[in-house]
Amino acid sequence: MNDFLMNNILWFKAFHVIFMVAWFAGIFYLPRLFVNHAETQSDKVAQQLKGMEKRLLYFITPFAVFTVVLGLLLIYTYGNDWFIAAKWLHIKVTLVILLLFYHGYCFKLVKVFQQDNNTRSGKFYRIFNEIPVFILFIVIILAYVKPVFS
């Protein structure tokens, strides 16, 4: 089994990145829908945004799951000694966990909008939209540069 994993590690990495890109595309767009929803005065537009928000969130959630599963598979393939030594990866995993909480919070926000209970401004959602941008920058630098920490 381990030979199979090592022989296919580049495929796992490729699909890990593909699913991550798809996940981030959605996680970048969803808060923009929240901005529009928070700022609209039109009931018709609000109803349309409710559908878009819910469909998008449910569409991107499997991408998040596949990203995490493939990441865990990569860690398993490289082994425990590598994981312990790769301090950059500990930071990356922590950021991914934070992003999963962010993703989960988006479910709450979709529900808030579905029930017409939003009390936050478009400005709040514009700032909220920046969180995954910063996480992405740091995760990409960690994954490709692999800085050494003492």
Side-chain angles (χ1 to χ4, degrees), residues 32-48:
R32 293 304 307 166
L33 294 175
F34 294 157
V35 169
N36 293 334
H37 201 154
E39 293 180 348
T40 189
Q41 301 298 318
S42 166
D43 288 336
K44 185 177 179 181
V45 171
Q47 290 304 316
Q48 185 175 15

Side-chain angles (χ1 to χ4, degrees), residues 31-32 34-36 38-39 118 120-128:
R32 293 304 307 166
F34 294 157
V35 169
N36 293 334
E39 293 180 348
N118 178 56
R120 297 204 166 109
S121 68
K123 183 177 180 179
F124 169 84
Y125 293 109
R126 281 186 181 85
I127 294 167
F128 181 74

Side-chain angles (χ1 to χ4, degrees), residues 77-134:
T77 303
Y78 278 111
N80 194 49
D81 290 339
W82 172 80
F83 178 72
I84 291 169
K87 303 297 183 207
W88 63 269
L89 184 57
H90 301 175
I91 298 167
K92 179 184 172 191
V93 168
T94 301
L95 290 170
V96 170
I97 291 168
L98 288 174
L99 189 63
L100 289 169
F101 279 107
Y102 180 95
H103 188 108
Y105 187 65
C106 286
F107 275 96
K108 179 181 189 280
L109 293 174
V110 165
K111 186 176 181 180
V112 164
F113 278 112
Q114 293 288 318
Q115 297 171 346
D116 296 319
N117 289 332
N118 178 56
T119 58
R120 297 204 166 109
S121 68
K123 183 177 180 179
F124 169 84
Y125 293 109
R126 281 186 181 85
I127 294 167
F128 181 74
N129 190 39
E130 300 306 318
I131 294 169
V133 175
F134 291 118

